[in-house]
Amino acid sequence: MLFAATLAFFPVITVARVLHPPTVNLMLIPTIANVSQEQQLTQNFLDVHFTPKTGVKVNVNMAATLLTTDYASQVQLYLTTNDSSMDIFMIDVVWPADFSKYLVDLKAMIPPELSQIHNPAIWENNIVYGRHVAIPFFADYGVFYYRDDLLAKYGFPNPPATWDEMEEMVQAVTKHEPTIVGYVAQFNAYEGLTCNIMEWLLSADAGPVLYPNLTVTLDNPNTREILNRTRNWFTNGVTPKYALTYAEADAREKFQSGNALFMRHWPSASKTMQQANVPFSFKMTGLPGSTNATKFAATLGGWNLALSKATKNVNASVAALLFMATADFQKFRFLTTGLLPTVMSLYEDPDVCAHIDCSLFGKLRVAVRPSSSSGPHYLEISRILYTTINTFLGQKVDLDTAIDTVVLQIEQTIGTYTQIIMSNAQYTTLKDTLALVFVTLAVFGIASCLCLIFFITWYRRHQVMIAASPEFLTLIHVGVIIEFSSIFLYVVKPNSAICIIQPFVLTLGYAVAYSALMTKTWRVYRIFDAKFAKVGQSLTFCKLIKFVGFYIFVNLGILLAWVFISPPSDTAILQTSHSAYLTCDSAYDTIFVSCLFTLNGLMLVFGSWLAYKTREIDEVYRESFYIAIIMYNTLIWGSMSAGLVFIDVLGNEVHFVVRSVSILMACFGTLALLMGPKLKAVFYPVDQEAADVFVMSDDPRSGEFTNSLSGARLSYSKSVTARKSSESVQVRVDYRCGSSTIFLSNWQAATLRLFESSDGMVVVFTKVGKHAKMGSRALNGFALAADENIQVVRMEESGELNVATALVRLPDGGLYEFMSGDPVFSSAIERLKVPLKRKSIFLTPYLFQEGVMVAKKDFNLPKHNEVDVPNLHVIKALQSLESRGLVNTRFSWQYYYYFLNDAGIEYLRKFLHLPVEIVPRTHIKTAKPAGIRPGREERPQRERREGGDGYRRRNDGEKKEGASGDFRPEFRGGVGRGGPRPAQE
C-alpha cells in the first residue's frame, strides 16, 4: 500500500518519460569497507525494483571520503553553489538545521502513512522551523563490541558493565596477550569523536553539552571525572596512543584483525565482520557506564536523504526518496550492509533479528547530539568539541584549559556569552586595595598643588617667581589638579555619563597644564631671541592666555566631535571564559584617541624644542633642562598607557593601574621638576660669591659649560659668572680617554683649555679651530676640586719627533692620554699636579706676613723667588684672590705686583686663625729718624747730558728698552711702603 502511494507521482513522470527519460543522481557516503560492493548492490536493487515501475533512472554515486567532516564540506559546496549535477544527498541526522535553506520542503509531498512507520524521534528531527527537509535513511546507535572468547579464557563470563570493570579486564587480558590492545574507538578529530563524547557524558550522568535554553553545562564534576578517565586510558595502557587518529574504519580493522579486546562502533560493523569470516568469537552489547545504572549509553546516529533546491527533476527525485524510505528498501540495506532500519516494524522481522539482538536496542539509553538546540550552529559546535577534546586527550592542554575553551567558543558561536556574564561584569571600586592607594595619592597630589599655589601667591614678588611668571605657574597647577581628579572617575561603575566625562577631564587637564608650560617657555624664547625681542616683551599674560585658550579649544573640538559621532558608553569586555569587565568603549575610539595623541604629542615635541632653544638663557628666566625632562617624562608615560589600555585581555585592574601610574608619574614629575628648584631658590638662596667662577676664557658662555662639566665634582649651585681675562692656557693636543689602558678610545684632535675657579679647576677639550667656542663646541672635559690632583702615570718627550706624551689618572680612576708638540704642554700638565688648596697653603703665610708679593710674568719659571712653588702657581693663586677682591694688582715692566687689601687681610686672618693684633708688615708703622728729612737738595744730583735739557734722548735707530732682563726689584724685610729709607753713604 505504501509503495502504491509512491506511484501517485508516476502519471506526471510517465508523460515526461516519453520525451525526456528522467534521471536522478544520488550521492552516498560509504558505510562499509567494500565501497564498490555497496554501490553495486544499491544500484542493482533500484534498477530492478524501482526503475521498471517508474521509468526513473537513479544513478548511485559514492563520495570519495569516509570521514563525515570531509563529506559535509563536499555537500556544503554542492548546495551553496546551486550545483544541479546532484539531486539527492545523504546527510547526517544532525545536519538538517545547517542545510535547511538549501533543501526542498517535502511536507506536501509525503504520504501521511509514511510518517507513522518510522522512528518518531528521527522523523521529527528532520522538521526545521516547520519545513520537512529530509526523510530517514537508516539509524545508528553506538554499541560495544567485545571478544567473548578471550574474556571466557581469562575468567570473565560477562562483558563489563562499568568503565572500572573494563579497565580491570584489559589489564588482566593484555598481561597474558601482549599483542592485543585494550579498547579502541573513534578518537580522531571529527564527528565520530563528538558521538563518543556524548556517550561518555551520558555514561557519567554529566548532562548534555547544551540545554534548550542555550546554557552550556559542560563544566561540572561528572564531566571532569569522565574526561580525566578517558585521558588516562592513553597513559595506563588501556588504549594505544596511536588510536588518537582512529576513525570508524581504523577501529573496525584493528578489532577485525583480532588485535583489540573491546571496541566502540556502530551496528553495521557486525555485518561487515561476519562477511569477513573473522576467526574468533565476538558479541555486541551496550557501552559500560560509570555505574551499573548509567550503562548502555548510545549516541543516536543515522543518516537521512534530502533533496537539493537546485534539482531539475523534482518529481522524479521525490519518487526516489519515497521509495528509499519504504520497509522493503531498508530491509534490503540491513541485510546487505548491516545498517539499522528506522522502520520500527522491522525489529520484529525474524530475518532482521537473526542478525542482531533486537531486544538490545530497546535497552539503549539514547544520547542526543545538540543539533536541535544549537540550530544552524551545530557543525561549528561539533567542530569545537572534537578538536578541543582531541587536543586534551593528546596531552597538549590541561582539563581546565580544554573546558574553558569549549565553553567560551560555544557561547560565542551561539551568541549567548555576553548576555550570560554581562550582569556579573567587574569594575574597579574603592573596595579594591590598589584603587584606594591610587586615590589617596591623587588626593595628596591635589593637596600639594593647592599648597604650591598658595606658595606662588605668597612669594609672587620674589625675583624667582617674577621671572617664572606666577600666573602661568598657577595655571599649570590648575591643569595638574584636573589631571589628578581624573583618577576618581575610574573607580566608579561606568555608565554613559561617566564614559563621556572621563576623556574630557583627562584631556582638558593635560591641555591646560602643558599648554601653559609651553606658552611660558615660548614667551621666554621670544624675549631673548633678537629677532623677536620687542614682540616678546609685549606678550603679556592676557595676550598669552589666548594661545592657551586656542589650544584648549582645539582639544575640546575633537572631544565634542567624538561625543556627537560615536559617544563612549559602558561595554562588557570578555576577558576569560568566566569573567568580563565593564569599561568605556566606542566604535570610533581608536580614531579620536589617535587624533588627541597626535595633537598633544606634537605639542610635547614643540615644547622640547623650545626648551632646547632657551638652554643658554640665564637660569633665572628659564628652566629648559627641567622642562625638557617634564616633556620627555610625560611622553614616555603617556605612550606606555596608550599602548596597554587597549589590550582587552589584560583586564580592567591592569588598565586602571597603568592609567593611574601614568597620570601620577606625569603630574608628580611636573610638580617636582618645575617647583623644586624654585622652592630651593626661595628657602635656600646661594651665596653669589661662592657661585662665581673665575674662568680664563674670552667666551662668556664658557662659564655655564664649566658648571655643567664640574657639577659632579664641584659644588656650584648656580650658573657661574664668567669674566674675561687677557690670559688663558690653551694647548693643541691629541687625546684619548677610558677606564683603563686597554679600553682607551680613539685619538681625537682638540684644544685643551684649563680654567681655575675659587674652589677647583676645569679642563675642557674643544674642537680645533680659530673661532671654536667652548660653550657650544666642547668635546670632553673633567673637573678637579681644590683638594684634588691628578696622577701623572707617564710623561715622555721625544726629541726626534718634537712631541711629548703624558698619561694621567683622575681621582675617580679614569685615564687620559695626551700627545702634543706645543712647547707649553709640559707646563700645562704640571699645573694639574698640585692641588689648588695646597698652593694656597704655600702662598698665604708669606702673603699675610709681607702684605705684598711680586711675580715675574714668566709662566715657565720653575720656581718663584720667595716661595718654593712654580712661578705659574703663584700667579694663578693670586689671580684667584684678585677675582674675589682680596688683593689689588698692578702690572709694570713684565712684573705683577699684588697688594693685600683690608678685605684680604680679614679673609687670611680667619683662614690662618690669627689674632687681630697681628698685621702684615705693610701695615706696621715705624718711627722716623729725627733731624734728617730727605729732600731734593740731599739727593745726589743727576748728571746732565751734553747739550741736553736734562733728559736722556736715544739716537736714531735706537730701540726703546725697558728694564734689563736681570732686573729684580725687591722689598727688604721690615721695610714696607712709607717706611724710612736707608741712610746715604
Side-chain angles (χ1 to χ4, degrees):
M1 180 178 178
L2 180 61
F3 189 69
T6 305
L7 297 181
F9 293 93
F10 291 170
V12 178
I13 299 173
T14 303
V15 173
R17 181 179 57 183
V18 177
L19 301 175
H20 302 287
T23 301
V24 175
N25 290 309
L26 170 66
M27 171 71 78
L28 303 177
I29 183 174
T31 57
I32 62 175
N34 195 334
V35 179
S36 60
Q37 180 184 359
E38 180 181 8
Q39 180 182 18
Q40 189 62 43
L41 289 173
T42 306
Q43 185 71 63
N44 291 340
F45 189 85
L46 291 171
D47 290 345
V48 172
H49 297 89
F50 177 71
T51 301
K53 298 176 182 180
T54 62
V56 177
K57 174 66 175 177
V58 178
N59 293 327
V60 178
N61 301 275
M62 306 302 292
T65 180
L66 297 176
L67 290 177
T68 55
T69 307
D70 295 341
Y71 177 66
S73 300
Q74 294 180 15
V75 174
Q76 185 176 25
L77 182 62
Y78 274 106
L79 295 177
T80 56
T81 58
N82 293 319
D83 191 336
S84 62
S85 61
M86 288 294 166
D87 302 293
I88 300 175
F89 291 94
M90 177 178 166
I91 64 173
D92 198 308
V93 293
V94 294
W95 294 354
D98 292 276
F99 296 140
S100 62
K101 63 181 179 179
Y102 304 108
L103 303 177
V104 173
D105 183 7
L106 305 172
K107 186 175 182 179
M109 308 175 191
I110 299 175
E113 57 270 22
L114 188 64
S115 62
Q116 299 174 4
I117 67 172
H118 286 274
N119 185 311
I122 299 177
W123 187 268
E124 294 294 331
N125 188 64
N126 294 325
I127 300 175
V128 181
Y129 302 123
R131 301 176 66 248
H132 203 124
V133 296
I135 291 178
F137 189 41
F138 66 88
D140 247 347
Y141 302 92
V143 292
F144 188 73
Y145 291 87
Y146 63 97
R147 291 277 303 272
D148 60 318
D149 57 340
L150 287 178
L151 292 183
K153 179 180 178 180
Y154 293 102
F156 299 104
N158 299 311
T162 65
W163 296 117
D164 289 331
E165 292 180 4
M166 186 197 76
E167 294 170 5
E168 179 185 353
M169 294 178 184
V170 168
Q171 297 295 335
V173 173
T174 56
K175 180 179 179 181
H176 299 90
E177 304 284 345
T179 60
I180 294 180
V181 300
Y183 177 66
V184 293
Q186 297 73 47
F187 296 111
N188 200 356
Y190 78 115
E191 184 67 25
L193 179 56
T194 301
C195 296
N196 278 260
I197 294 171
M198 297 300 106
E199 293 163 350
W200 296 342
L201 296 179
L202 185 60
S203 72
D205 198 20
V209 173
L210 184 66
Y211 278 103
N213 64 356
L214 302 181
T215 302
V216 182
T217 59
L218 191 63
D219 191 4
N220 59 72
N222 291 349
T223 299
R224 289 177 174 272
E225 186 274 330
I226 190 63
L227 290 179
N228 276 323
R229 179 190 290 274
T230 56
R231 185 178 186 176
N232 291 335
W233 290 343
F234 292 90
T235 58
N236 60 19
V238 172
T239 301
K241 292 181 175 59
Y242 53 78
L244 282 171
T245 62
Y246 273 14
E248 277 91 347
D250 305 301
R252 180 182 48 75
E253 289 175 1
K254 188 70 174 178
F255 188 84
Q256 184 175 318
S257 65
N259 293 323
L261 180 62
F262 300 112
M263 176 183 70
R264 184 270 176 203
H265 214 286
W266 307 102
S268 59
S270 176
K271 183 68 176 179
T272 302
M273 289 188 291
Q274 289 175 359
Q275 293 175 348
N277 297 318
V278 293
F280 54 83
S281 176
F282 70 90
K283 290 184 179 181
M284 178 176 61
T285 186
L287 287 164
S290 294
T291 65
N292 193 58
T294 58
K295 66 180 181 178
F296 287 9
T299 298
L300 175 62
W303 291 76
N304 300 319
L305 295 175
L307 180 61
S308 171
K309 282 185 176 181
T311 183
K312 296 181 180 179
N313 301 302
V314 176
N315 292 331
S317 298
V318 170
L321 275 176
L322 296 178
F323 175 76
M324 288 184 284
T326 62
D328 292 337
F329 184 81
Q330 288 201 358
K331 181 178 180 180
F332 153 74
R333 288 280 293 175
F334 170 76
L335 294 176
T336 56
T337 62
L339 299 174
L340 294 178
T342 61
V343 178
M344 300 306 296
S345 61
L346 291 177
Y347 288 98
E348 299 175 359
D349 191 309
D351 295 333
V352 174
C353 294
H355 294 85
I356 60 172
D357 183 3
C358 291
S359 62
L360 170 65
F361 294 97
K363 303 176 184 177
L364 296 179
R365 301 171 59 239
V366 177
V368 181
R369 286 173 281 179
S371 57
S372 58
S373 58
S374 60
H377 305 294
Y378 172 75
L379 288 180
E380 179 61 21
I381 291 176
S382 178
R383 184 196 64 79
I384 293 169
L385 277 171
Y386 63 66
T387 54
T388 306
I389 300 303
N390 178 265
T391 304
F392 165 71
L393 297 177
Q395 318 291 323
K396 296 179 181 178
V397 296
D398 57 23
L399 182 59
D400 289 334
T401 303
I403 291 178
D404 287 346
T405 301
V406 170
V407 172
L408 172 63
Q409 294 185 4
I410 289 178
E411 290 181 346
Q412 288 178 334
T413 299
I414 62 180
T416 62
Y417 187 67
T418 303
Q419 300 173 7
I420 294 173
I421 67 170
M422 181 67 176
S423 59
N424 298 320
Q426 303 297 314
Y427 58 90
T428 305
T429 66
L430 283 176
K431 296 180 180 179
D432 301 327
T433 303
L434 285 175
L436 187 60
V437 170
F438 286 117
V439 168
T440 303
L441 291 174
V443 172
F444 174 76
I446 293 174
S448 300
C449 288
L450 294 175
C451 293
L452 290 173
I453 291 175
F454 176 78
F455 166 79
I456 294 169
T457 305
W458 187 264
Y459 290 96
R460 64 186 181 278
R461 300 196 181 279
H462 192 280
Q463 179 183 1
V464 174
M465 291 295 109
I466 294 174
S469 183
E471 296 86 355
F472 277 106
L473 289 177
T474 302
L475 194 58
I476 292 171
H477 284 76
V478 170
V480 173
I481 289 176
I482 298 175
E483 284 193 83
F484 277 129
S485 303
S486 66
I487 295 180
F488 303 146
L489 298 174
Y490 294 98
V491 293
V492 295
K493 184 176 182 179
N495 54 45
S496 299
I498 293 295
C499 289
I500 292 175
I501 294 172
Q502 281 178 356
F504 273 83
V505 173
L506 185 59
T507 302
L508 294 180
Y510 173 89
V512 170
Y514 292 98
S515 63
L517 182 63
M518 180 196 67
T519 305
K520 186 175 79 74
T521 308
W522 180 69
R523 178 174 180 267
V524 173
Y525 166 70
R526 297 292 288 251
I527 290 174
F528 285 90
D529 193 308
K531 295 181 294 184
F532 306 108
K534 294 182 179 179
V535 177
Q537 292 173 359
S538 64
L539 293 176
T540 62
F541 174 77
C542 295
K543 293 181 179 179
L544 289 172
I545 198 65
K546 297 179 181 179
F547 293 96
V548 177
F550 175 76
Y551 183 78
I552 295 174
F553 178 78
V554 174
N555 280 272
L556 190 61
I558 297 176
L559 291 170
L560 290 175
W562 188 357
V563 170
F564 283 112
I565 295 175
S566 178
S569 60
D570 52 313
T571 306
I573 301 297
L574 310 178
Q575 186 176 4
T576 68
S577 60
H578 302 290
S579 65
Y581 61 91
L582 280 177
T583 187
C584 295
D585 196 14
S586 169
Y588 297 96
D589 57 353
T590 303
I591 297 175
F592 287 103
V593 169
S594 299
C595 292
L596 291 172
F597 265 91
T598 301
L599 173 64
N600 293 289
L602 291 175
M603 189 271 291
L604 287 175
V605 173
F606 181 62
S608 300
W609 178 80
L610 289 176
Y612 173 78
K613 295 295 289 184
T614 58
R615 69 191 186 281
E616 296 179 2
I617 299 172
D618 194 317
E619 192 181 66
V620 175
Y621 300 99
R622 67 92 179 95
E623 306 95 350
S624 63
F625 174 73
Y626 303 110
I627 291 175
I629 297 179
I630 288 173
M631 298 293 184
Y632 179 76
N633 175 67
T634 305
L635 184 62
I636 291 298
W637 286 106
S639 301
M640 183 190 70
S641 174
L644 295 178
V645 296
F646 289 104
I647 302 177
D648 294 339
V649 296
L650 294 179
N652 190 47
E653 184 174 343
V654 175
H655 290 175
F656 173 74
V657 171
V658 170
R659 187 182 289 112
S660 299
V661 169
S662 176
I663 294 172
L664 292 175
M665 292 299 293
C667 292
F668 280 121
T670 300
L671 295 178
L673 292 169
L674 187 65
M675 297 302 299
K678 296 173 179 56
L679 291 170
K680 183 178 180 181
V682 171
F683 294 112
Y684 301 97
V686 180
D687 184 5
Q688 183 63 35
E689 179 182 352
D692 289 345
V693 177
F694 177 75
V695 180
M696 300 296 297
S697 172
D698 290 336
D699 181 8
R701 290 181 296 173
S702 61
E704 182 181 345
F705 180 75
T706 302
N707 180 42
S708 66
L709 280 178
S710 58
R713 192 176 296 274
L714 303 181
S715 57
Y716 302 148
S717 57
K718 291 184 63 176
S719 292
V720 298
T721 302
R723 301 179 181 176
K724 293 185 178 182
S725 173
S726 59
E727 303 298 334
S728 176
V729 177
Q730 300 184 19
V731 183
R732 175 76 176 271
V733 299
D734 290 307
Y735 79 97
R736 58 180 182 171
C737 57
S739 58
S740 67
T741 55
I742 300 177
F743 299 104
L744 290 176
S745 60
N746 296 328
W747 288 100
Q748 189 169 1
T751 299
L752 184 148
R753 299 185 177 188
L754 279 70
F755 306 101
E756 290 185 352
S757 66
S758 59
D759 55 349
M761 176 184 294
V762 176
V763 179
V764 181
F765 301 92
T766 62
K767 288 186 178 182
V768 178
K770 183 177 180 180
H771 301 290
K773 296 180 179 180
M774 184 184 65
S776 59
R777 308 185 68 178
L779 302 172
N780 204 327
F782 58 88
L784 296 171
D787 58 347
E788 292 180 321
N789 67 306
I790 66 171
Q791 175 189 357
V792 179
V793 179
R794 183 182 68 250
M795 182 74 179
E796 299 176 352
E797 295 186 6
S798 174
E800 297 178 357
L801 300 176
N802 195 26
V803 295
T805 60
L807 178 65
V808 301
R809 187 185 305 277
L810 302 183
D812 60 0
L815 293 176
Y816 277 83
E817 187 173 11
F818 308 101
M819 180 184 300
S820 176
D822 197 309
V824 299
F825 173 73
S826 299
S827 61
I829 298 299
E830 289 295 327
R831 285 186 60 183
L832 299 174
K833 293 174 63 175
V834 182
L836 293 175
K837 187 172 182 180
R838 195 183 305 168
K839 299 172 189 175
S840 299
I841 293 173
F842 289 155
L843 299 177
T844 49
Y846 180 86
L847 180 60
F848 188 85
Q849 177 183 354
E850 301 298 331
V852 66
M853 180 169 279
V854 180
K856 183 180 180 181
K857 184 183 176 182
D858 185 355
F859 300 137
N860 297 319
L861 192 64
K863 181 181 177 183
H864 187 265
N865 290 339
E866 302 297 340
V867 291
D868 189 17
V869 294
N871 191 59
L872 179 62
H873 295 183
V874 173
I875 295 173
K876 293 305 176 183
L878 290 168
Q879 285 178 343
S880 177
L881 294 176
E882 180 198 10
S883 67
R884 295 190 288 176
L886 302 179
V887 297
N888 299 326
T889 306
R890 292 182 184 178
F891 180 75
S892 177
W893 295 92
Q894 299 298 311
Y895 277 83
Y896 293 102
Y897 299 87
Y898 300 98
F899 306 93
L900 196 61
N901 55 30
D902 292 339
I905 293 173
E906 291 302 320
Y907 173 80
L908 293 181
R909 178 180 286 115
K910 293 178 181 179
F911 184 82
L912 297 174
H913 305 287
L914 297 175
V916 294
E917 58 269 16
I918 299 178
V919 295
R921 293 181 179 177
T922 53
H923 285 61
I924 297 176
K925 296 183 178 180
T926 57
K928 300 181 180 180
I932 301 177
R933 180 179 181 181
R936 181 180 299 269
E937 65 279 7
E938 297 179 1
R939 297 178 184 173
Q941 296 294 322
R942 186 177 298 171
E943 295 182 1
R944 293 181 177 270
R945 298 184 181 271
E946 293 182 0
D949 50 1
Y951 290 95
R952 179 182 179 272
R953 301 179 184 274
R954 65 176 181 267
N955 299 326
D956 294 339
E958 184 179 357
K959 295 182 180 180
K960 180 188 291 186
E961 296 180 354
S964 62
D966 56 354
F967 173 73
R968 290 185 175 82
E970 53 184 48
F971 296 85
R972 301 178 185 272
V975 179
R977 173 183 281 180
R981 296 179 178 272
Q984 299 287 336
E985 295 181 0

